[in-house]
Amino acid sequence: MKAINNNNSERVQEFYNENTEKFLAVYGDIIQAFRTLNITDYLSYTIKSAGILPGMKVLDAGCGVCGPAIYFAENILDIQIDACTISDVQFNMAKKNIADKDLGNSITPHLLDYHTIASRFGNEAFDMIYFLESFGHSTSKMELIDACWKVLKPGGKLYIKDLFKRISNDDWEQLRIDEICTEINTAYEYDIPDLSSTLNILRSVGLELRTVKVPEIEIDQFEKLTISNTFQNLFNIGKINGWDEYIFPIDFYELILTKPKDLKPKNMHLYSLNKP
Ligand SMILES: C[S@@+](CC[C@H](N)C(=O)[O-])C[C@H]1O[C@@H](n2cnc3c(N)ncnc32)[C@H](O)[C@@H]1O
């Protein structure tokens, strides 16, 4: 099986093959920085917020070791999840985790570059695609979104939860934001998306924008990024070397878009046809 599509994916693969054990030691099976103290609260929030429904056929694009997919399969009736990761280390762990929970009928793991989903799954295969802090690894976002458009059924939904570069009207602050984002990108093999250009790419392929929002969780449930700071300090990956000139560099957002059911220009205003 050809898992790799481009050089960046190869570097991301190496990064996760090398570091997954470290991530799991600190994060557990859910490798997400923005989370709740009790991670299942965040996963159940995700189900509601993303609108993952019983009976859906979904693609988990960048599935880690299938921590989220397993929770969804255990809590959403008749869901069918194809879950892909670029890392063979994660793929093998995901296979074992799924088998241990006896969820082989609900989740199919794939060792696959998410840029290649269209050739792997064909057109109009999924009711929904979700990216949970995985979209930003792509350095070919147009190619990736194009592929998502192809594999989504008409009326299907794309959900992206990720970190996006903050913007400032202060030149010095923006310079620091840019510098810190570059450091994070290098440390994590990431390409922190810019919100406006991401929305432009998503809309340019024809997806309808439904929602842009910060994750709406209670402040007393919020984990406050402690785990990701611990990870950085323990393993010296993206470590913050001084707070004097530190500027918080990112915002977390959830994006929800739908693929229109009817592409005829005369019907393009009938948004409710695609009610998420
Ligand atoms: C921060 S982890 C998030 C994992 C998972 N969504 C979770 O919540 O536990 C990023 C994931 O994106 C995956 N990923 C990054 N680039 C990828 C690519 N080109 N194709 C498939 N998966 C990719 C990595 O393998 C990793 O599993």
Side-chain angles (χ1 to χ4, degrees), residues 226-241:
T226 316
I227 289 180
S228 65
N229 288 336
T230 306
F231 178 82
Q232 290 173 181
N233 288 330
L234 265 180
F235 300 111
N236 206 10
I237 296 174
K239 189 172 175 180
I240 297 162
N241 286 319

Side-chain angles (χ1 to χ4, degrees), residues 3 6 8-9 12 16 23 29-32 43 60-68 84-87 90 112-115 130-135 137-138 190:
N6 61 35
N8 174 62
S9 300
V12 177
Y16 279 107
F23 275 109
D29 281 358
I30 315 294
I31 311 172
Q32 293 180 48
L43 295 174
D60 182 333
C63 64
V65 295
C66 277
C84 69
T85 172
I86 194 68
S87 154
Q90 291 187 343
L112 186 74
D113 184 342
Y114 53 34
H115 299 93
Y130 63 79
F131 289 85
L132 304 177
E133 296 192 19
S134 52
F135 175 79
H137 277 295
S138 172
Y190 227 66

